[in-house]
Amino acid sequence: MLHHNLITPDTKMADAIHMNYLLLPVINRFEIKLGFGDKTVEEVCTENKVNLSFFLDITNTYHDKSYFPKEKMRTYPVELIIDYLLKTHRYYFDQLLPEVEAMVEELLASCPADCDNLGLIKDFYKKYKQELEYHLKNEEQKFFPYVKALTQLEGTGQSLHSIRRQYNFSYSTHSEEHDNVISKMLDLKNIIIKYLPPNYDTAKGNNLLYWLFVFEEDLKDHERLEDIILVPALKRIEEKFTKN
Ligand SMILES: [Fe+2]
Ligand SMILES: [Fe+2]
């Protein structure tokens, strides 16, 4: 497939943001801050000691949903990928999850009377937040350390079995959690769009929905990286040690 609108090493970093402003938090995850002047993506990456090829693949998969060079992405060191994924977790923990919670509170506060249904939205979101936080923590405690331990297994004398037991990572639970956090985000949007009686401030409702769309898009991209890049990498290493 031909991709006409991709970010390249020669693209000006400022233009990359004009092309897709949703890339702002993605770029921040590489510890790159604004104020680039006319510097190109390559120049900014070099200055910030960022792997240019990895930066381009991450920003382009985010920017263009049909661009996903999975074989190439599977060649990056897992530490690099995990570092990026962990920064994304921080963005959810520290920013999106609490900020959206505050928007839900504001929406509720803007309701003049008969606000029971809005209370349900608040409960739904509270539960969703807990579930997503649980998922992210689970990955940080089991999934990522397990992947890292496996990549370092060679020569340690440890068996796959003992590492597996130590981290107790389950593919099926992981995949169920992904389906769940994605589908509930869609449910939440739909409850507001389709069913919630609109007795609240419209601007606040739109603001909440806007951020739910942004959140969903970022989350989908995040889970896709884990499912399509990291999980197969894990399976390949496991297979290698099972054969030996
Ligand atoms: Fe994750
Ligand atoms: Fe995940």
Side-chain angles (χ1 to χ4, degrees):
M1 191 182 294
L2 273 176
H3 302 272
H4 297 289
N5 200 20
L6 291 182
I7 299 155
T8 70
D10 299 326
T11 306
K12 297 227 177 10
M13 190 63 103
D15 288 343
I17 290 168
H18 284 295
M19 279 158 77
N20 187 344
Y21 60 86
L22 293 175
L23 285 172
L24 275 168
V26 178
I27 290 171
N28 291 152
R29 281 167 213 157
F30 290 90
E31 319 234 329
I32 292 175
K33 298 211 168 91
L34 301 184
F36 326 112
D38 283 324
K39 285 179 197 148
T40 64
V41 166
E42 184 170 16
E43 285 165 343
V44 175
C45 282
T46 308
E47 249 176 42
N48 288 275
K49 299 191 176 56
V50 167
N51 181 320
L52 174 66
S53 162
F54 184 61
F55 178 88
L56 289 171
D57 283 336
I58 290 286
T59 47
N60 281 318
T61 54
Y62 194 92
H63 173 56
D64 178 345
K65 297 299 168 229
S66 66
Y67 178 85
F68 199 79
K70 58 183 178 189
E71 290 312 321
K72 183 169 166 234
M73 292 188 81
R74 285 174 187 166
T75 64
Y76 293 118
V78 293
E79 287 80 5
L80 196 63
I81 299 166
I82 290 177
D83 182 60
Y84 173 78
L85 295 171
L86 279 172
K87 294 224 171 78
T88 313
H89 282 198
R90 289 270 69 79
Y91 175 62
Y92 298 159
F93 272 122
D94 300 343
Q95 272 183 272
L96 283 182
L97 280 166
E99 280 171 10
V100 171
E101 187 170 36
M103 287 172 211
V104 173
E105 293 285 352
E106 271 190 46
L107 192 70
L108 203 66
S110 76
C111 172
D114 299 325
C115 309
D116 289 358
N117 286 310
L118 276 167
L120 294 178
I121 287 286
K122 188 183 161 183
D123 294 341
F124 188 103
Y125 182 74
K126 198 174 156 204
K127 208 163 156 261
Y128 180 76
K129 182 169 177 268
Q130 280 168 355
E131 278 178 36
L132 184 56
E133 284 173 345
Y134 174 83
H135 171 67
L136 302 175
K137 276 189 198 135
N138 227 1
E139 288 186 329
E140 292 178 15
Q141 284 159 9
K142 292 181 182 170
F143 181 41
F144 298 154
Y146 180 53
V147 181
K148 277 190 186 168
L150 277 196
T151 57
Q152 292 155 7
L153 186 62
E154 211 145 7
T156 61
Q158 272 187 297
S159 71
L160 175 63
H161 185 67
S162 71
I163 303 252
R164 221 185 225 164
R165 218 175 26 208
Q166 187 184 342
Y167 294 103
N168 194 22
F169 171 72
S170 153
Y171 285 107
S172 57
T173 311
H174 189 245
S175 144
E176 271 167 35
E177 284 177 13
H178 276 189
D179 291 346
N180 188 42
V181 292
I182 297 291
S183 68
K184 284 206 176 136
M185 181 68 95
L186 181 66
D187 289 345
L188 179 56
K189 280 163 45 194
N190 266 332
I191 295 170
I192 302 171
I193 296 170
K194 291 186 179 176
Y195 307 113
L196 188 69
N199 53 344
Y200 51 76
D201 181 273
T202 305
K204 291 196 186 343
N206 287 350
N207 191 44
L208 170 62
L209 269 176
Y210 169 82
W211 280 101
L212 289 176
F213 275 103
V214 171
F215 200 163
E216 184 187 32
E217 190 165 334
D218 204 283
L219 189 62
K220 274 187 180 164
D221 196 63
H222 178 79
E223 308 297 36
R224 186 166 71 142
L225 281 173
E226 291 173 348
D227 286 337
I228 303 181
I229 306 301
L230 223 45
V231 168
L234 195 56
K235 286 190 172 154
R236 264 203 313 274
I237 307 172
E238 281 186 341
E239 261 167 40
K240 199 172 111 195
F241 283 99
T242 321
K243 273 184 205 147
N244 286 342

